[in-house]
Amino acid sequence: MNHLMIDLETLGTDSTAPIASIGAVFFEPSTGCTGGRFYVRVDFASDMALGAKPDGYTMKWWLKQSSEARAELVNDEALPIGRALSQLCQFIKDNQQPAGKKHLRVWGNGASFDCVILRAAYARVGITPPWDWWRDLDVRTVVEMGRGLGYDQKYNLIFKGVQHTALDDALHQVAYVSEIWQRLTADKEPIL
């Protein structure tokens, strides 16, 4: 599998947002099948020490979320940002088939959110991201295309797990992106 859905929980909304957790899952959009899963809590204070900046609006938003989601922000098992990002690199290396940057497609929920924030965090810790920026794919664009077909699976699909927990959100995004993908590509021959 070479499609990787990533979801971040952050304390801001721009590229300098501190990361609180990372969820990722390999998947095949043409079938909806999932592969390796990754979840790590991040010590956002370690990210802030490197220059990440929270914003007050996001902090207020977090205070309104479920106690389960908020508990993930302050979990004692959180890793320093550099270690968390290194573990994500290793997860990708261990689970991608075939391996290599040229094959990996990384999905984020918004063209300017998950992938951009993650790439900025990699820069702060001095690690090269394990994918090329031109391999970023956008969940919101696919959702909008589905809506154009009269299909709004993002809101019609039952959420499993805890909302605003990075891995549960990533799995939910995989489910609705795959359903929309399949509707868009039904009875089409793949272009190679």
Side-chain angles (χ1 to χ4, degrees), residues 46-47 50 80-86 118-128:
S46 71
D47 200 6
L50 296 173
I81 186 67
R83 196 158 147 219
L85 295 174
S86 292
L118 199 51
R119 201 170 354 278
Y122 273 112
R124 285 192 295 275
V125 300
I127 298 174
T128 300

Side-chain angles (χ1 to χ4, degrees), residues 35-159:
R37 297 175 183 191
F38 176 85
Y39 180 70
V40 66
R41 295 170 190 97
V42 179
D43 177 2
F44 57 82
S46 71
D47 200 6
M48 291 168 62
L50 296 173
K53 296 180 176 85
D55 73 58
Y57 293 108
T58 304
M59 300 299 287
K60 285 171 66 175
W61 178 87
W62 271 112
L63 293 172
K64 297 175 185 176
Q65 301 314 306
S66 72
S67 58
E68 295 91 348
R70 286 192 323 269
E72 289 296 301
L73 295 178
V74 293
N75 190 291
D76 291 336
E77 296 176 13
L79 298 179
I81 186 67
R83 196 158 147 219
L85 295 174
S86 292
Q87 286 187 5
L88 179 59
C89 287
Q90 189 63 48
F91 164 76
I92 291 169
K93 182 180 177 184
D94 292 346
N95 288 276
Q96 184 191 5
Q97 293 296 323
K101 281 186 169 187
K102 70 179 186 177
H103 301 289
L104 188 61
R105 305 296 188 262
V106 179
W107 293 78
N109 199 8
S112 63
F113 196 77
D114 299 285
C115 294
V116 171
I117 293 171
L118 199 51
R119 201 170 354 278
Y122 273 112
R124 285 192 295 275
V125 300
I127 298 174
T128 300
W131 75 94
D132 294 314
W133 62 268
W134 60 86
R135 303 286 188 202
D136 289 356
L137 299 174
D138 181 15
V139 169
R140 290 187 177 132
T141 300
V142 172
V143 168
E144 191 63 26
M145 292 170 73
R147 288 180 183 146
L149 296 172
Y151 185 70
D152 195 356
Q153 198 58 10
K154 178 178 179 178
Y155 296 107
N156 295 332
L157 191 65
I158 296 171
F159 192 95

Side-chain angles (χ1 to χ4, degrees), residues 155-178:
Y155 296 107
N156 295 332
L157 191 65
I158 296 171
F159 192 95
K160 297 174 186 170
V162 177
Q163 288 184 323
H164 309 302
T165 300
L167 182 57
D168 291 344
D169 285 355
L171 288 164
H172 187 65
Q173 290 163 195
V174 162
Y176 63 77
V177 163
S178 295

